[in-house]
Structure formats: C-alpha cells, structure tokens
Amino acid sequence: MKLKTAAILSVGTELLLGDIVNTDAAFISRRLAALGINQYCQSVVGDNPERLKKALSELLETCDLVILTGGLGPTYDDLTKETAAALFGRGLVLHEESLERIQARLSKYGRVMSENNKKQAMLPEGAVVFKNNYGTAPGMAIEDEVRGKTAILLPGPPRECEPMFIEEVEPYLRRFADHILVSRMINIFGMGESRVEEILRPIMVSSLNPTLAPYAKEGEVQLRVTASAPTEAEGLAMCDEMIAKVRETEVGGCIYGIDAGSIERELVRELTSRRLRIACAESCTGGLCAKRLTDIPGSSAILDGSIVTYANSVKEQFVCVSRETLNAHGAVSKETALEMADGVRKLFSSDIGISTTGIAGPDGGTPEKPVGTVFVAVSYNGVCTHRELHIGVYNSNVFGTGTSERAYIRHISASNALELALELVRGR
Amino acid sequence: MKLKTAAILSVGTELLLGDIVNTDAAFISRRLAALGINQYCQSVVGDNPERLKKALSELLETCDLVILTGGLGPTYDDLTKETAAALFGRGLVLHEESLERIQARLSKYGRVMSENNKKQAMLPEGAVVFKNNYGTAPGMAIEDEVRGKTAILLPGPPRECEPMFIEEVEPYLRRFADHILVSRMINIFGMGESRVEEILRPIMVSSLNPTLAPYAKEGEVQLRVTASAPTEAEGLAMCDEMIAKVRETEVGGCIYGIDAGSIERELVRELTSRRLRIACAESCTGGLCAKRLTDIPGSSAILDGSIVTYANSVKEQFVCVSRETLNAHGAVSKETALEMADGVRKLFSSDIGISTTGIAGPDGGTPEKPVGTVFVAVSYNGVCTHRELHIGVYNSNVFGTGTSERAYIRHISASNALELALELVRGR
C-alpha cells in the first residue's frame, strides 16, 4: 500500500466556534511534510455525524490517507470512531489491552471507570491501535487494503495528539516508505528572511536532495535541511554537508545553532557546559529575559538572578547606573545599558550581566527616540558591549495573532540581549 | 439577502506544510459565532487555483457566505482574487482609491510601488471594498444577488485580517442582520470549569436569550454572556441582568472581572486607579509575574521593580528571607514565600509585595514536595497572606500545544500571585 496524498479532517464544534485554534492540523502538517507525504487539503467539521461522514468519504475519494483528529472522547457527541468504522464496513469490538490501559490510567488519578470510558476501548475490527500515554482515548488506523485507503484517528487534545503522532503514528507511516527522511534545522539570528533567501537561492534551487527551506519565526530565520536517504546515517551526513555549505556563505556569520530550539535554550546549554552564571537587568523587557531563560529546565544552574529596573531610582540604587549618565544620556541610551549590564553582574556576583532599556510603546516615544528604540548590553570577562536596535513592524506577518507591536518589540529586544551574550561567551 | 450559513476557506501552501497555524480561522469563527452566523465547516487548500476553484464552488453550493483568507499578496502565486472573480463571472478593474492607499503606505515606509503592488489594486467589478490599514492588500466582498451567495476575501496575515474583520467586515455583515448581538465576558479564577458548569447549568439551560457559555483557558474559566436585542443598550442591559444572576451563585465569589482581558490587565487597572505600586520576588516563576504585568501598556506607573530570587543566597541577601526560615522550612514553604513578599515590598519601597516559590519541574520534586507544589504570597498594608498550590495536569486540554507541564505550573503560579494581590487590595 502506498500513501501518496493525505488530508487532515478535524472534528469538533469548538473549532467552528473558534474556542480553540487548530494547532493539531499545523503540527501534523509539519510532520507529514517531513515524512515526504504530500498533503492535499484540510477540513474542519463540527460534532455532526452526517457532515463528518460526507467529508470523510469525499476526502477518501481523492486521498490515500485521511488523518482525523478529535471526537474520540468518552461523551455522547464523540462519534468519529463510530462514523469512520461504519464507512469502512467494520463493527466495534472490545480491545482488552486498551481497556486495561484506561483502567490503569484512571486509577492512577484516583478515578473510577465509567461506562463512557469503556466505550473508548471499543475499537473497529482489525484496526491498528496506537497507545495513548497521555490520556484515555487510544488512536487507530483503519485500513482498506482493497481500495488502498487508510483512515488514522487521533485524539484532539494536542498534549495527547502530538506525542501519539511522534511515538506511534510515525513508525507506522514509515513502513510505507522506501526511504528515510532526515531533517536538521539551522538557527539564524540577525539577518532577515528575504536576505537569507537572496544569498542562498542558488543553493536552494540547485539542490533537490537535501532540500533547503527557510522560514521566519518570531524575528528569527530557520533553515530546514531535509535529506532523503536509505539510512539515517547517510541522511545525516548529507545534512551535515549542506550545513557546511551554508556556513561558507554570508549567512554563516548569523548561525547561532543547529537544532538549537531557541536562543534561550542554546544559551542555557552553552553556559551550563562552560559553568558560567548570568544575571539580568531588564527595563523595557520587564522580566522577559529571565522568563525565557527559566522556561528551560535546569536553568537554575546558570541564572543567579534578575532584576526589573523600570524606575530610574531602581537603576541607580540597585545596578549602579550613575545619575550623571541618566541626566546626560537618558535611561534609554547605550551608556545606561552598559552600566546596567555591568552593575547587575556585580550585584549578583555573576560571570555575565545582560541588560535591556528602550521604548516598547505604545506610548513614550519621542522624535529622537521613537517607539522601538532599544539598547541591549552584555558585560563579561572585562568586556562590555552593546547593540542599538530600531525595531519596526513593517511586515505584519512576523508574529502570531494577538501580538501587539509592544510584545514584538519586547520579544526582539530580549532575543538580542540573549544572543549577544551567546556571541560574547563564544568569543565571536 | 440573508446570510444563514457560512464557511471559511483558507488558502496557502504554508498552512498545508504546517509552517503557520491557522489562527485566522479561529478568530473569524469566534466573531461569526458572536454575530449569530452559523458556521458549517472550514477548509484549507494550497496555492493551487484548480483546487481553490473546486473547494470554493463546492462550499458555495451549501453555504450563503464563504470567507476566504490568504492569497491576496502581490506575488505570482497569490490567485485567490482572480479565482473567485472568475467563479462569480467578474472581470478585474483598477480601484483608484486602493491604488492611492497602497502608494501612500509604501512611500510611508520609503518603498517604491512595483507592478506587483499595482496588481493588488485590481479588484472584481462591483465588489464591496474593505480598507486595509495594516498592509497593502485590500479585502472585498463579491455578491451574487441572484443566487444569494457572497464571497468575502481577506488578507492572510493575522495582523491585517483581524483588524479588517472587526473594522470593515463586521459593519458590512451587520447590514444583513435584523438584530444586534451584544456580548460580555465574565472572568473567573479559582474554580474549575466543570464545577462552574454544574452550578450554572440551571441558568444555562433555562436562558436562551441571553445565552451563557463557559469555556476554560489557561487555568481560568470565562463565561460568555450573549444577548440578542434590537438595540445595543437593550442588549447590554440584558447582559447586566445575567451577570447579576451569576454573581448571586457560588460562582460569584470567584469573579475577578467583567471583560477584564486577563488577571494582569485587571490588576494593572486596579492598582492604577488606587495609585498603588507593586514589587515582585519570583522564584519558580522566574520573571513571569513581572513579564505579564509589563505586557500591559502603562504598567510602568504601578511596577516598582521585580527580582528573580532563584538562589537561596539571593533570597537572603536581597529580600531578607532569614537563614532560620530557609533551614527550618526550606525554600519552598509558606514561611519563605511570606518573608519574600514582605522583603521585596521593603526592598523597592512599594505598597505591595508579591512572591512565588515552588517546584516547576520536571526535576526537583520530592515525596513531600512533588513537582507542582508552589507557595505564593502577598504583603500589603500590614497584612501578609499566602496560598498553597498543588498544581497537577490531569486534564491534558488545559493548555495549548507546545506547552510543557513546567510552563503550565509556572503560569498557574503567576496567575495565583497576581490574583491574590488583586483580592487583597480590593479587601475581599
């Protein structure tokens, strides 16, 4: 059986009401692309068996594989399994192993099994079962070998759907592939997406395997390298070769990591391995640098402390910014940023001090220092260095929904402070 | 013309690759529900005119209104407008006003108009044009009065799509309505969704206008009150009556605001109006309380400062937690939390001090103090009070994708600290 084209069908009235965002579809799309499975389209229907049946049978006309999410819960309006089983001409039978797993999970949380939970262990005859390590509803694949069609049913909550896809569905889908796809991510900071594309276009166009694809996210650029190879080792070697090629271009200077995850993750990793500790003095970022560092488990080993110095008096009292500097250059200046970075390093007896000061808006801008004017600085090993930023939001697509310009400016400011620290400790 | 059923059709290969999440669909769904327009389904297709044409004509069979997002950009693969116009039998004509707006926008950013940008001002004959105040692509409605079908085309980037929907599309859609929908949100903290539902079910079931609908979000519960009325004033009065009814129930004690937006927004508002200033000492939240407060514009008027006290030495040195307390009760204890809150209030000479200390995981838990054990405290006006939290993640759907248990625990801890401060200053 070949799985050439796929579709995603999400089930849930809460999606049509906009109460939740369909992150499952984006997640599965990303993973399918990495598996080399072409996605034809996506659909969303409410908890309505008739419409679900119609949508599923239409999608199965066009696609070899339809991945359904949602509607596997224990309540009466969860009918995805029943509808799909009927369409494939299968009855539901009790799956003992799933029943035991549900029982074990419920008793772990001190709950009693209800009739509704038992319903979750009733699975279509002959289905391939996917274990759920994060909830009660098992996932499944229903295969029609004659027509060459497969439906995969997954629970809707992302915390169940995502790990089940990675741990259970991907190994299942790989059986249908005659090659392995290996992917690595190059993390770039300090160069815009269009400039990265311009520089790398010759490589992107000429190389079909591995492929090189850029995309922008929250003020950074990521380059995805994907190789198709008979074995993982060969695929990785192909990726490494491509990464080396990219490093030789002008983009090379802006690479801060490979599969780094994020700037803060890379910085925590770097500081941990070098046994260095850091402290933050944050004005316009108001705690965001510390928040992002402490998002990373194990960050307590590298963070001495952080202080939010919103008021000038706090800047003077705690991180030793001199009144002369504040009077001569203002709180938003490179001089203040540098004194803050050095001051907070001393305050917490840290190896590294980082600082931010600027105008995040929406108010507070002046003609000389408009909204988006930010200074970040780092003090380390006798060196103090800074960056002057002028953050504008011309391209409206740089950030997700609900994010104001203020949030964007704060995010980019924190990214710069953290990345500057990374550069300085690496001696770049 | 009546608009009874709607569908959303999102256009963009980046959605099928999972490079972006379809937040537009969730946003528009929410707004359509508030307008009382029933949504039948959603679809996503790539930048492929044939599939787009097929999907659009199928949806127009079933629905009165199809809202399309994406594919209005200036490049060659943006073909939504051309495809929809052809399906409605319309040619494209130059829309002078849009051309002028595009020109003005580009020159504001020092850019020159390209042929591609001019293409964006070519609109279907007779279309209703929606101004774009956040980008170059105008939106539009194409109406087929004979068939009673309408297609609305909107730009894909959320920062353009969302304000255009609110400012331009909603007034347009209201013309088709014979009543006004007025909505208010009741913000609840400290009671789970199922308990809220249990208490309010009699009201929810018996009241059809206004309706009362709960939903859970990031550890809070929101109740949406929606009234349908001939005028806004009547609708608001009906909502107020419902809010008063809810206040009389057991849920009333957990209401922290009406249309508050978030706990931090409500707290900034409350402190601003009372002219009170706050300071934070954060251990397990690592800057998140300060970050959330400073997310709110104008928070500089109420935040004196914040300190991240990860290390015990920092707790002792800066916020005056006594060594005896640390030795006798440990860093994760109500005693430490209380001393931190009082200490940070004194450190920054603030009116209010708040603190968090706990085990956010994934490591660091013990049998006595497992991961999720957190103490938050507030010091204000001679009173020190605390909350002891045991945060577990049984229900996997409490938080969005990509969010670990650690992030959830940190979020709930910060919410509790901020909400406790709100309670204390209000004297509840």
Side-chain angles (χ1 to χ4, degrees):
Chain A
M1 195 148 53
K2 280 276 172 198
L3 299 178
K4 282 207 172 153
T5 30
I8 298 174
L9 175 55
S10 309
V11 186
T13 301
E14 66 275 27
L15 288 164
L16 296 186
L17 290 173
D19 285 344
I20 57 170
V21 177
N22 196 354
T23 55
D24 285 345
F27 175 82
I28 294 171
S29 298
R30 223 158 35 232
R31 308 298 299 198
L32 286 178
L35 286 165
I37 296 173
N38 180 31
Q39 193 186 149
Y40 187 82
C41 65
Q42 291 168 16
S43 291
V44 180
V45 294
D47 297 309
N48 178 316
E50 278 313 304
R51 293 188 200 166
L52 169 56
K53 189 180 156 192
K54 181 164 177 278
L56 179 56
S57 57
E58 280 174 11
L59 291 172
L60 284 170
E61 291 298 318
T62 326
C63 302
D64 307 322
L65 169 68
V66 177
I67 299 179
L68 298 98
T69 62
L72 298 184
T75 64
Y76 71 95
D77 63 349
D78 291 307
L79 289 165
T80 302
K81 189 172 59 188
E82 290 74 3
T83 307
L87 208 66
F88 279 76
R90 306 285 171 87
L92 296 180
V93 290
L94 183 71
H95 188 250
E96 287 290 347
E97 195 193 319
S98 292
L99 189 70
E100 280 160 31
R101 292 182 62 84
I102 293 169
Q103 189 112 52
R105 184 168 181 86
L106 290 170
S107 54
K108 186 178 155 197
Y109 289 97
R111 304 219 168 187
V112 192
M113 175 107 116
S114 67
E115 277 305 312
N116 282 344
N117 288 126
K118 273 187 203 153
K119 186 192 127 185
Q120 294 188 295
M122 297 292 293
L123 301 183
E125 287 174 277
V128 177
V129 180
F130 302 131
K131 284 200 295 278
N132 190 340
N133 294 316
Y134 306 87
T136 49
M140 69 212 74
I142 317 177
E143 301 166 344
D144 182 338
E145 303 247 358
V146 180
R147 290 181 66 205
K149 305 284 178 182
T150 301
I152 290 180
L153 281 62
L154 302 174
R159 280 174 53 98
E160 299 178 32
C161 179
E162 295 184 9
M164 186 185 286
F165 197 90
I166 293 172
E167 293 162 18
E168 301 271 318
V169 180
E170 290 190 3
Y172 169 80
L173 291 176
R174 281 210 194 90
R175 284 194 248 149
F176 301 100
D178 46 10
H179 58 274
I180 287 176
L181 282 167
V182 178
S183 208
R184 300 205 70 184
M185 195 69 94
I186 307 177
N187 302 93
I188 292 163
F189 188 77
M191 187 182 279
E193 191 189 13
S194 55
R195 181 77 187 120
V196 170
E197 263 198 76
E198 200 180 317
I199 295 168
L200 297 179
R201 194 167 301 138
I203 302 180
M204 283 159 57
V205 172
S206 65
S207 178
L208 294 174
N209 187 25
T211 57
L212 186 66
Y215 55 101
K217 197 189 152 202
E218 297 179 358
E220 300 184 28
V221 178
Q222 303 190 318
L223 281 167
R224 194 198 278 139
V225 185
T226 308
S228 170
T231 68
E232 191 174 7
E234 285 169 88
L236 281 174
M238 287 162 73
C239 288
D240 286 347
E241 212 174 297
M242 175 61 88
I243 293 168
K245 241 189 233 176
V246 174
R247 280 198 194 277
E248 282 166 19
T249 70
E250 206 188 317
V251 175
C254 294
I255 296 174
Y256 73 79
I258 306 293
D259 294 326
S262 64
I263 296 173
E264 52 267 32
R265 196 172 286 276
E266 187 75 2
L267 181 58
V268 170
R269 200 179 292 130
E270 188 76 35
L271 296 181
T272 307
S273 76
R274 290 174 188 260
R275 296 172 183 275
L276 292 174
R277 297 176 66 89
I278 196 167
C280 320
E282 307 192 49
S283 189
C284 65
T285 51
L288 182 56
C289 293
K291 186 262 172 195
R292 284 173 60 180
L293 285 171
T294 57
D295 278 342
I296 312 301
S299 48
S300 53
I302 61 100
L303 181 68
D304 276 316
S306 165
I307 186 159
V308 175
T309 58
Y310 244 42
N312 277 353
S313 60
V314 173
K315 289 189 184 74
E316 282 182 56
Q317 190 187 341
F318 294 101
V319 292
C320 308
V321 177
S322 70
R323 185 154 302 178
E324 292 70 42
T325 298
L326 288 170
N327 287 340
H329 306 284
V332 178
S333 64
K334 86 170 188 213
E335 289 78 7
T336 298
L338 288 166
E339 290 185 26
M340 283 169 69
D342 204 45
V344 79
R345 184 183 59 75
K346 287 175 186 153
L347 180 75
F348 288 106
S349 314
S350 278
D351 302 301
I352 305 149
I354 70 175
S355 70
T356 64
T357 180
I359 299 152
D363 305 317
T366 64
E368 296 76 41
K369 292 174 184 172
V371 169
T373 307
V374 176
F375 296 86
V376 304
V378 177
S379 163
Y380 168 61
N381 208 8
V383 178
C384 272
T385 184
H386 82 287
R387 272 187 203 156
E388 179 174 343
L389 309 172
H390 299 278
I391 306 167
V393 190
Y394 167 70
N395 180 352
S396 67
N397 207 11
V398 285
F399 225 80
T401 180
T403 306
S404 63
E405 190 161 9
R406 178 180 172 87
Y408 181 69
I409 290 169
R410 279 154 52 90
H411 182 86
I412 297 297
S413 303
S415 295
N416 269 282
L418 298 170
E419 206 271 338
L420 187 58
L422 192 57
E423 278 194 18
L424 207 60
V425 299
R426 283 175 172 172
R428 268 189 13 204
Chain B
M1 195 148 51
K2 279 275 171 199
L3 298 179
K4 283 206 170 153
T5 32
I8 298 174
L9 175 55
S10 309
V11 185
T13 302
E14 66 274 27
L15 289 164
L16 296 186
L17 290 173
D19 285 344
I20 57 171
V21 176
N22 197 354
T23 55
D24 285 344
F27 175 83
I28 294 170
S29 299
R30 221 157 39 232
R31 308 297 299 199
L32 286 177
L35 286 165
I37 296 173
N38 180 30
Q39 193 187 150
Y40 187 82
C41 66
Q42 291 167 15
S43 290
V44 180
V45 294
D47 297 308
N48 178 317
E50 278 313 303
R51 293 188 200 165
L52 169 55
K53 190 181 157 190
K54 181 163 178 278
L56 179 56
S57 56
E58 280 173 12
L59 291 172
L60 284 169
E61 290 298 318
T62 326
C63 302
D64 307 322
L65 170 67
V66 178
I67 298 179
L68 297 99
T69 61
L72 298 185
T75 63
Y76 71 94
D77 62 348
D78 291 307
L79 289 166
T80 302
K81 189 173 58 186
E82 290 73 5
T83 308
L87 209 67
F88 279 76
R90 305 286 171 89
L92 297 180
V93 289
L94 183 71
H95 188 251
E96 286 290 348
E97 196 193 319
S98 292
L99 189 70
E100 279 161 30
R101 292 182 62 84
I102 294 169
Q103 188 113 51
R105 183 167 182 87
L106 290 172
S107 55
K108 186 178 154 197
Y109 289 97
R111 303 218 171 189
V112 192
M113 174 106 113
S114 67
E115 275 306 312
N116 283 344
N117 287 126
K118 274 187 201 156
K119 187 192 126 184
Q120 293 187 295
M122 297 293 292
L123 301 182
E125 287 175 276
V128 177
V129 180
F130 302 131
K131 283 200 296 279
N132 189 340
N133 294 317
Y134 306 87
T136 50
M140 70 211 73
I142 318 178
E143 301 167 344
D144 182 338
E145 303 247 359
V146 181
R147 291 180 66 204
K149 304 285 177 181
T150 300
I152 289 180
L153 281 65
L154 302 174
R159 280 175 53 98
E160 300 178 31
C161 180
E162 296 184 8
M164 186 185 287
F165 197 90
I166 294 173
E167 294 162 16
E168 302 270 319
V169 180
E170 290 189 3
Y172 169 81
L173 290 176
R174 281 209 194 90
R175 283 194 248 150
F176 301 99
D178 47 9
H179 58 275
I180 286 176
L181 283 167
V182 178
S183 206
R184 300 205 70 182
M185 194 70 93
I186 306 177
N187 302 92
I188 292 163
F189 188 78
M191 187 182 278
E193 189 188 14
S194 55
R195 181 78 187 119
V196 171
E197 263 199 75
E198 201 180 318
I199 296 168
L200 298 178
R201 194 168 301 139
I203 302 181
M204 282 159 55
V205 172
S206 65
S207 177
L208 292 175
N209 186 23
T211 57
L212 187 65
Y215 54 103
K217 197 190 151 202
E218 297 180 358
E220 298 182 30
V221 178
Q222 303 189 317
L223 281 167
R224 194 198 278 139
V225 185
T226 308
S228 169
T231 67
E232 190 172 6
E234 286 170 85
L236 280 174
M238 288 163 73
C239 287
D240 285 347
E241 212 174 296
M242 175 60 88
I243 293 168
K245 241 189 233 176
V246 174
R247 280 198 193 277
E248 282 165 19
T249 68
E250 205 188 318
V251 174
C254 293
I255 295 174
Y256 73 79
I258 306 293
D259 295 325
S262 63
I263 296 172
E264 53 268 30
R265 196 173 287 276
E266 187 75 1
L267 182 57
V268 170
R269 200 180 291 130
E270 189 75 36
L271 297 181
T272 305
S273 77
R274 290 175 188 260
R275 295 173 184 272
L276 292 174
R277 299 178 64 90
I278 196 167
C280 320
E282 307 190 50
S283 189
C284 65
T285 51
L288 182 56
C289 293
K291 186 261 171 197
R292 284 173 60 178
L293 285 171
T294 57
D295 279 341
I296 312 301
S299 48
S300 54
I302 60 100
L303 181 69
D304 276 317
S306 165
I307 185 159
V308 175
T309 57
Y310 244 41
N312 277 354
S313 61
V314 173
K315 290 189 183 75
E316 284 183 53
Q317 190 186 342
F318 293 103
V319 293
C320 307
V321 178
S322 69
R323 186 155 299 179
E324 293 70 42
T325 299
L326 288 170
N327 287 341
H329 306 284
V332 177
S333 65
K334 87 171 187 213
E335 290 79 6
T336 297
L338 288 165
E339 290 186 24
M340 281 169 69
D342 205 45
V344 80
R345 184 183 58 76
K346 288 175 186 151
L347 180 75
F348 288 106
S349 313
S350 277
D351 303 300
I352 304 148
I354 70 173
S355 70
T356 63
T357 179
I359 298 152
D363 305 317
T366 63
E368 296 77 41
K369 292 175 185 172
V371 169
T373 307
V374 176
F375 297 86
V376 305
V378 177
S379 163
Y380 168 62
N381 209 8
V383 179
C384 272
T385 184
H386 82 287
R387 271 185 202 156
E388 178 173 345
L389 309 171
H390 298 277
I391 306 166
V393 190
Y394 166 71
N395 180 354
S396 67
N397 208 11
V398 285
F399 224 80
T401 180
T403 307
S404 63
E405 190 160 9
R406 176 180 173 88
Y408 181 70
I409 290 169
R410 281 155 50 92
H411 182 87
I412 297 298
S413 304
S415 294
N416 269 283
L418 298 170
E419 206 271 339
L420 188 57
L422 192 57
E423 278 195 17
L424 208 60
V425 298
R426 283 175 173 171
R428 269 189 13 205

